[in-house]
Amino acid sequence: NPTETGYKLGVASKVGVPAFGPPLPKPPEFPKNTYFRDFLLTKILNGEQAAFHSPFIAAKMRKTRRAHLQRLVEQFCTSDTKF
C-alpha cells in the first residue's frame, strides 16, 4: 500500500563473523513502528558483539589496544617509574 511507510531489511557481515540474532522474519519487511526500532537496535548490538568474536576483528582490536597502551607508557612513564 503506497500510503503506508515500511522497511525491508537485509543483513550482511564479513566472512568469519559468527551468525547473530534475532533472525529476520520471512519476508524481512517491517512497518514503521517501535517493534522495528527495537529489532534493529538489537540486531546491530548483537552484530557488534559477534564481530568481536571474529579472528580478523579481534586481531585489529588487539593491535589498537597495544598501540594505545604503548603511547600511554611513552607519555606518562619515566625510567624511574615503578610498577
Side-chain angles (χ1 to χ4, degrees):
N1 185 346
T3 61
E4 293 181 26
T5 302
Y7 303 96
K8 289 185 179 184
L9 185 63
V11 177
S13 63
K14 187 166 182 62
V15 173
V17 174
F20 52 93
L24 290 175
K26 294 183 181 165
E29 298 173 350
F30 298 87
K32 184 178 180 179
N33 59 22
T34 57
Y35 172 76
F36 175 66
R37 178 186 166 277
D38 293 343
F39 180 91
L40 191 57
L41 288 173
T42 302
K43 191 73 168 170
I44 290 168
L45 291 172
N46 289 346
E48 182 179 31
Q49 287 298 316
F52 292 150
H53 296 292
S54 162
F56 175 77
I57 300 295
K60 282 189 166 204
M61 287 175 45
R62 280 192 301 275
K63 183 178 177 182
T64 301
R65 220 178 279 129
R66 189 177 304 119
H68 286 309
L69 287 171
Q70 181 64 37
R71 190 185 51 187
L72 287 171
V73 167
E74 290 169 358
Q75 287 179 346
F76 299 107
C77 294
T78 61
S79 60
D80 60 332
T81 301
K82 295 181 182 177
F83 293 98

